[in-house]
Amino acid sequence: MNGVQPIYKGRIVDLRLEETTLPNGMRVSLEMIRHPGAAAVVALDPDNRVSLIHQFRHAAAGYLWELPAGKLDPGEAPEVCAGRELREETGLVAAQIIRLGSILTAPGFCDERIHLFLARELRQESQALEADEVLSVHWVPFAEALEMIRDGRIDDAKTIAGLHLATSHVG
């Protein structure tokens, strides 16, 4: 990389103009969003019900069905973030967290990577929602959650990827 021009640095994103030379030798200026990454959790109970949140998202102009998820804190391991976000958003604590994989959300202009996990052996504690989190928690049979993807009720990318990656773990 040959140059970076900061445009905006906020709590979640760092927007910049980056000058770089591509592998084909072409020199370009790219608008890039740098993001610390995130973790999302497919929390399954013994009856193969998944904990989904119905969360208000201003950018989407309404409520979305989602997996519990959130941004990595500086230096935080993705699996630690997954457990923290699961507890904060749903009040659930998992004795077992299994890595499912990760996704890049918008690699054309953003480096955000969401790490996906499966949570098992759950116990209920209390939620610790942040001021900007407006959500309700719902237990949905896993097969119904997959149907919600097919019929368009779930259109959040991390949730679609996480649920599909978790299918091999559902009995």
Side-chain angles (χ1 to χ4, degrees):
M1 184 180 345
N2 302 73
V4 175
Q5 177 188 346
I7 297 172
Y8 172 79
K9 183 166 177 61
R11 183 175 62 88
I12 297 174
V13 299
D14 180 359
L15 174 61
R16 27 169 108 172
L17 193 59
E18 297 184 4
E19 291 182 26
T20 190
T21 303
L22 299 175
N24 65 2
M26 177 76 72
R27 187 154 170 73
V28 295
S29 206
L30 301 170
E31 294 171 352
M32 296 296 303
I33 294 176
R34 299 298 179 183
H35 186 282
V41 186
V42 178
L44 284 175
D45 73 6
D47 296 322
N48 285 325
R49 295 179 308 156
V50 62
S51 181
L52 293 178
I53 60 175
H54 201 220
Q55 183 166 8
F56 179 78
R57 294 293 191 177
H58 177 73
Y63 284 84
L64 297 178
W65 287 103
E66 299 181 54
L67 295 174
K71 179 178 70 70
L72 295 171
D73 286 339
E76 185 177 38
E79 55 276 357
V80 172
C81 177
R84 176 178 53 78
E85 288 293 336
L86 180 63
R87 186 190 172 287
E88 287 176 4
E89 293 186 353
T90 67
L92 294 169
V93 176
Q96 184 180 39
I97 302 248
I98 301 163
R99 182 172 183 76
L100 295 172
S102 68
I103 58 170
L104 291 167
T105 59
F109 61 88
C110 182
D111 67 351
E112 179 186 28
R113 180 177 296 275
I114 300 180
H115 304 271
L116 303 166
F117 295 90
L118 174 68
R120 295 277 202 170
E121 300 175 33
L122 306 168
R123 74 176 188 279
Q124 187 69 53
E125 291 190 3
S126 59
Q127 283 178 298
L129 296 176
E130 295 181 25
D132 64 347
E133 292 178 315
V134 178
L135 61 86
S136 56
V137 180
H138 302 265
W139 285 100
V140 177
F142 192 82
E144 182 181 336
L146 294 177
E147 182 59 34
M148 291 169 73
I149 294 169
R150 287 188 290 275
D151 69 21
R153 285 179 285 162
I154 294 176
D155 56 4
D156 173 66
K158 71 182 173 302
T159 302
I160 293 169
L163 289 171
H164 281 295
L165 287 171
T167 56
S168 64
H169 296 271
V170 177

